[in-house]
Amino acid sequence: MNIFRFAGDMTHLISILVLLLKIYATKSCSGISLKTQELYALVFLTRYLDLFTDFISVYNTIMKLVFIASSLAVVCCMRMHRVVRRSYDKDLDTFRHYFLILASFVLALLVNEKFTFQEIFWAFSIYLEALAILPQLVLLQRSGNVDNLTGQYVFFLGAYRAFYILNWIYRYFTEQHFSRWIACVSGLVQTVLYADFFYYYFISWKNNAKMQLPA
Amino acid sequence: REQSWSHDEL
């Protein structure tokens, strides 16, 4: 464990807490893409298949359980909760995310560490996570204005993978035989996808104005 | 043979 990875995990945790805060405090999920939440639930479920077979550390196990439980809780809340689900932007959240699932799965069959059940699903979860934010970014683009908590949620979600890139660079130089090209390349693509969001987020922060995405 | 790393990251 190194400081970059710990910072990345904490940033990821903060993004989840901000999302939960937004939904429970405002009793509204306006501006949140249900499709992105479903994709993230799928990412965690397919990545942590080894949750009960490979014990790495208490920290690792607890964080995996937190990520799985929180992503499922958000999806259930956005689908079931009678108050929250009324504020879901159903007609804006129309990204065909099934294509993202299919593309990631096909790519995982072609490019993986080992052609085994667990490795293919691990690669699938890595590719899917890189694309999972797309429905959310499209929804924000369409809705134009971004409320503070939603903006912070997406910002921290993007920042956590940037910390992981620093972690991979650090591990590359400090550990022999460290090679996680799949995660590195995919993590890079994931972070780049946030680039324009980060730009507009920074502009709104600098001008101390409400965040506006160009329509 | 290269030591195969484990999925020790989240």
Side-chain angles (χ1 to χ4, degrees), chain A residues 5 48 56 60 119 167-168 171 179-180, chain B:
Chain A
R5 195 161 118 214
Y48 302 148
I56 292 171
N60 189 275
E119 286 301 329
N167 153 64
W168 290 320
R171 290 187 75 176
S179 76
R180 292 183 66 136
Chain B
R1 207 174 82 73
E2 274 215 348
Q3 167 211 357
S4 76
W5 47 271
S6 68
H7 295 321
D8 61 345
E9 294 177 348
L10 289 172

Side-chain angles (χ1 to χ4, degrees), chain A residues 106-140:
Chain A
V106 168
L107 187 58
L109 287 174
L110 300 174
V111 180
N112 50 61
E113 291 293 332
K114 269 186 299 203
F115 199 78
T116 64
F117 180 82
Q118 181 168 340
E119 286 301 329
I120 288 172
F121 274 98
W122 181 81
F124 166 72
S125 82
I126 291 287
Y127 302 139
L128 188 61
E129 185 185 3
L131 303 173
I133 198 62
L134 286 174
Q136 177 65 58
L137 293 178
V138 165
L139 174 62
L140 291 181

Side-chain angles (χ1 to χ4, degrees), chain A residues 12-13 15-17 19-20 23-24 32-48 51 62-80 128-129 132 153 157:
Chain A
H12 193 183
L13 192 62
S15 79
I16 290 172
L17 294 177
L19 177 62
L20 291 172
I23 291 180
Y24 287 111
I32 301 295
S33 161
L34 173 60
K35 297 179 184 232
T36 286
Q37 299 309 317
E38 287 168 348
L39 291 178
Y40 258 102
L42 193 56
V43 163
F44 294 136
L45 288 171
T46 52
R47 185 173 306 176
Y48 302 148
L51 178 62
I62 290 177
M63 291 298 276
K64 285 177 176 177
L65 289 170
V66 166
F67 288 164
I68 290 174
S70 59
S71 58
L72 290 177
V74 169
V75 169
C76 290
C77 181
M78 287 182 71
R79 280 180 168 278
M80 315 289 188
L128 188 61
E129 185 185 3
Y153 159 65
L157 196 54

Side-chain angles (χ1 to χ4, degrees), chain A residues 157-172:
Chain A
L157 196 54
Y160 112 83
R161 214 61 181 165
F163 277 120
Y164 257 74
I165 291 170
L166 298 179
N167 153 64
W168 290 320
I169 295 170
Y170 175 83
R171 290 187 75 176
Y172 179 77

